Amino acid sequence: MATYSIPVGPLHVALEEPMYFRVDIEGETVKGLEISAGHVHRGMESLALQRNYFQNITLTERLCSLCSNSHPCTYCMAVENVAGIDIPERARYLRVMADEIKRLASNLFNVGIMAHTIGFNSLFMHVMEIREQAQDIKEGVYGNRMDLAANCIGGVKYDLDDGIESFLRTQLEEMKRPLDEIYQIYAKDPLITARTKGIGILPKKDAVRLGVVGPVARGSGIAYDVRDKAPYSAYDQLSFTVQTEEAADVRSRALVRLREAMDAISLMEQCLERMPKGPTVPDCLPEIPPGQSVARSEAPRGELIYYLKSDGTDRPQRLKWRVPTYMNWEALHAMMHNCKISDIPLIINSIDPCISCTER
Amino acid sequence: MLPFLKILVRNIIKGPATEAFPFGDTFTPKRLRGRAELNPERCLACGICSHVCAGGAIAMTESADGRGMEFRLWHNTCTFCGLCEHYCPANAITMTNDWHLSHEQSEKYTCCEVQFVEYPVCKRCGKRMLPHLHQRLAKGLVGAVNTAEIMQICPDCRRLTSAMQQIKSKTCFSTDRSNS
Ligand code: SF4
Ligand code: SF4
């Protein structure tokens, strides 16, 4: 059979962001893959060194739109670690809330796009409509549909009042039933299962070898979640299960994401129940001494690590981040081995790639 | 397809979920971070807002005659992060929920929030001074001398007052703690 290479990307109908794949094909089957990145490099690590600690809160929030809360949150944690700042109790819960609403919307977006890639557009629209309620929460509570601007060094910038709290409770309650409903569809619908079951398999052994993180790891049966392994904010006070699936295919990753979206609602409700009253920020400006620190968190796409080196000035000497997608890229080689051409977009989407934060 | 059919029918009966905007009204939440606004009466010209602004959207220029400071916030450079509002010690900046910022290309250099923050005048020598003392006084940070008096005089005259007071009194203390 003839072997030839086809390009997928950097601009492609099924890819939401630019990435170039050179795929070697034998008939309809993928035999080799080469990934090249760098189309949206913006030099943000360098930009961060030219901005002071406050400005970097905003800059890191612009790294990626879907994990936009995880970045400033982890950045602030890194700064707090180096400065020895303990954030107020109430701020811990408020940080969890901001993290979880983003996880909810991000995971729904990914499974929605999956339906779109399959060609099931009515389901895609339906999922996006459910996600719209999460967007309403973000806009109503935080003031923006994507960038929550919830974090600041030493705490959070926002607070809840009675009106906002009851708005939150109603919105969350309203999302529960539709979420259960679409979970059943993703799990059982013959059209969805036909396209996703047994596709893009990443065996547990390979997942461990490649060090994948987030729903990609959990979809391959690895129960690794930073919220559970090294709790930050108020996660040690809240109860949730680390969601895993054993089939290691596109479908398992989608189911993990959907169950995490449901957990996000429960986590936010727990926060509303347990959140103590009190301040949300310290009342003085922080002083950042020289030193180094690391902070990590569970972004919607997996473990996110921030490294900070300070030299006592008002700008970081070095700020570096290891984003979840960076770890998951390599797994595409394993997932796409011997797959069909038509499954390429589905498999790429199943790692929920975020190119803007990988290339920053 | 079958499990979805029920939802599909329900959605069709429910009708469109999108809003009628721009032909009809749309909902704007109270907390939406939109166009930033400055209240020049409250501003202390301290500059913390432009210090924290990642976009570099805030420019503060002292007027040539020293009468005050021009505060200019470029809406087109603003990222609507709200850090300026959060860190402003005097609550002078507010993110309003007005998001109607579209404008003609010809207005791109004027689409700004421009305010003039007038410096208070020293009651004694007539010199202009930074307005930060009001704030300090409000917080009770300067309390050693007659506050009503010191609020209306500039740092030079304050130093003089302080020196005169120290000549009168036996104990030495500094009245000007504006740098502390
Ligand atoms: S008082 Fe507020 S608005 Fe005025 S310069 Fe300071 S931070 Fe900016
Ligand atoms: S909202 Fe953010 S970007 Fe806009 S002026 Fe304030 S600090 Fe600057």
Side-chain angles (χ1 to χ4, degrees):
Chain A
M1 209 181 290
T3 312
Y4 51 96
S5 304
I6 55 163
V8 179
L11 295 172
H12 187 271
V13 279
L15 299 178
E16 302 299 319
E17 288 180 282
M19 195 67 157
Y20 175 67
F21 301 89
R22 209 199 67 201
V23 193
D24 296 328
I25 305 286
E26 207 180 275
E28 278 280 306
T29 313
V30 175
K31 287 295 171 196
L33 172 70
E34 196 186 288
I35 308 175
S36 62
H39 306 280
V40 283
H41 178 67
R42 289 152 290 160
M44 287 181 90
E45 283 190 6
S46 168
L47 288 179
L49 309 187
Q50 297 160 34
R51 276 164 181 72
N52 61 41
Y53 288 104
F54 302 109
Q55 294 173 311
N56 279 327
I57 305 172
T58 308
L59 181 73
T60 50
E61 188 142 19
R62 268 86 190 152
L63 222 68
C64 159
S65 65
L66 288 159
C67 303
S68 69
N69 187 67
S70 300
H71 285 281
C73 179
T74 319
Y75 162 73
C76 288
M77 275 158 46
V79 176
E80 285 149 13
N81 286 348
V82 89
I85 300 171
D86 251 339
I87 70 169
E89 199 55 27
R90 187 174 174 82
R92 290 180 193 283
Y93 286 91
L94 290 170
R95 276 197 181 169
V96 171
M97 296 212 52
D99 244 12
E100 292 304 320
I101 188 66
K102 287 295 292 186
R103 190 182 322 278
L104 173 58
S106 172
N107 285 3
L108 285 181
F109 185 73
N110 177 263
V111 295
I113 295 288
M114 183 181 112
H116 170 67
T117 313
I118 292 174
F120 199 159
N121 273 326
S122 44
L123 177 61
F124 161 66
M125 300 278 190
H126 183 69
V127 175
M128 291 305 267
E129 198 184 327
I130 302 172
R131 173 178 173 271
E132 202 54 32
Q133 295 221 305
Q135 298 299 87
D136 284 347
I137 294 183
K138 292 194 250 171
E139 203 172 29
V141 179
Y142 303 89
N144 191 287
R145 285 168 59 90
M146 287 320 269
D147 294 329
L148 305 185
N151 295 280
C152 65
I153 298 165
V156 288
K157 276 163 57 191
Y158 78 107
D159 206 352
L160 308 176
D161 53 30
D162 291 344
I164 289 288
E165 239 185 87
S166 68
F167 163 73
L168 257 169
R169 280 182 208 271
T170 344
Q171 289 286 101
L172 293 176
E173 195 56 49
E174 274 176 19
M175 287 178 80
K176 283 183 193 163
R177 223 175 62 95
L179 266 178
D180 278 339
E181 218 169 45
I182 58 163
Y183 184 80
Q184 294 308 325
I185 290 172
Y186 276 90
K188 300 211 182 94
D189 189 285
L191 234 162
I192 301 264
T193 31
R195 283 304 306 276
T196 57
K197 216 172 179 169
I199 306 283
I201 292 186
L202 178 69
K204 190 167 178 173
K205 184 169 90 310
D206 286 325
V208 173
R209 177 176 59 85
L210 293 162
V212 294
V213 291
V216 178
R218 294 193 284 276
S220 290
I222 303 169
Y224 182 79
D225 189 322
V226 182
R227 296 176 295 169
D228 173 59
K229 289 274 186 272
Y232 53 97
S233 300
Y235 283 110
D236 53 345
Q237 309 289 322
L238 307 167
S239 74
F240 64 97
T241 7
V242 178
Q243 301 292 353
T244 54
E245 278 282 326
E246 297 300 327
D249 53 9
V250 170
R251 179 173 173 269
S252 344
R253 295 191 272 278
L255 295 185
V256 165
R257 287 196 183 97
L258 277 168
R259 288 210 296 273
E260 284 178 4
M262 295 165 164
D263 283 355
I265 294 189
S266 129
L267 281 165
M268 279 188 275
E269 286 180 338
Q270 290 178 46
C271 283
L272 286 174
E273 287 310 321
R274 317 181 71 141
M275 198 183 312
K277 294 248 175 306
T280 54
V281 265
D283 52 10
C284 54
L285 290 180
E287 265 174 50
I288 323 290
Q292 297 179 62
S293 73
V294 168
R296 57 187 182 141
S297 71
E298 185 74 21
R301 283 155 188 73
E303 182 184 39
L304 169 69
I305 306 176
Y306 262 67
Y307 166 78
L308 171 74
K309 186 168 186 210
S310 64
D311 56 1
T313 62
D314 68 342
R315 279 150 208 232
Q317 192 177 23
R318 182 83 172 96
L319 183 65
K320 177 161 175 59
W321 39 93
R322 211 282 324 267
V323 302
T325 301
Y326 183 74
M327 299 311 289
N328 294 343
W329 271 126
E330 281 305 306
L332 284 178
H333 289 282
M335 290 179 193
M336 283 201 204
H337 190 66
N338 282 338
C339 80
K340 294 276 174 275
I341 299 182
S342 55
D343 292 335
I344 295 176
L346 256 181
I347 296 175
I348 295 176
N349 181 66
S350 80
I351 68 162
D352 201 358
C354 176
I355 298 167
S356 74
C357 68
T358 311
E359 299 188 352
R360 61 259 185 177
Chain B
M1 202 70 182
L2 285 175
F4 189 70
L5 226 50
K6 222 172 72 198
I7 299 177
L8 199 67
V9 172
R10 210 170 59 213
N11 282 351
I12 289 173
I13 295 172
K14 217 171 81 189
T18 44
E19 286 179 16
F21 192 80
F23 305 107
D25 242 356
T26 181
F27 173 70
T28 305
K30 228 171 69 208
R31 291 193 175 194
L32 185 94
R33 273 176 281 121
R35 182 177 52 80
E37 209 173 67
L38 178 86
N39 178 352
E41 299 294 314
R42 298 193 78 129
C43 180
L44 307 166
C46 70
I48 187 88
C49 52
S50 69
H51 180 69
V52 300
C53 178
I58 300 174
M60 293 176 27
T61 337
E62 202 155 85
S63 66
D65 57 3
R67 221 167 48 78
M69 188 244 347
E70 186 207 71
F71 175 98
R72 182 176 290 264
L73 190 153
W74 295 81
H75 295 310
N76 287 341
T77 316
C78 175
T79 64
F80 306 98
C81 67
L83 272 188
C84 52
E85 181 190 42
H86 178 73
Y87 282 110
C88 173
N91 287 334
I93 296 191
T94 337
M95 305 300 287
T96 65
N97 69 350
D98 172 17
W99 47 272
H100 298 278
L101 278 165
S102 59
H103 54 82
E104 305 240 312
Q105 170 77 353
S106 59
E107 291 160 23
K108 68 174 174 186
Y109 295 121
T110 49
C111 182
C112 300
E113 166 81 359
V114 187
Q115 295 288 352
F116 190 74
V117 180
E118 196 173 337
Y119 291 165
V121 179
C122 172
K123 205 179 152 196
R124 193 162 303 167
C125 69
K127 229 173 22 197
R128 297 273 178 179
M129 57 189 172
L130 279 181
H132 68 301
L133 202 66
H134 291 276
Q135 225 283 302
R136 297 266 160 171
L137 283 166
K139 281 195 174 172
L141 288 173
V142 181
V145 290
N146 181 343
T147 49
E149 162 88 3
I150 207 157
M151 203 155 82
Q152 297 169 50
I153 60 178
C154 72
D156 290 348
C157 295
R158 274 205 310 271
R159 235 165 268 135
L160 204 69
T161 316
S162 158
M164 297 304 286
Q165 278 183 340
Q166 280 176 27
I167 292 167
K168 278 188 234 148
S169 78
K170 295 237 162 53
T171 44
C172 273
F173 61 88
S174 159
T175 51
D176 187 0
R177 278 184 246 157
S178 54
N179 291 325
S180 67

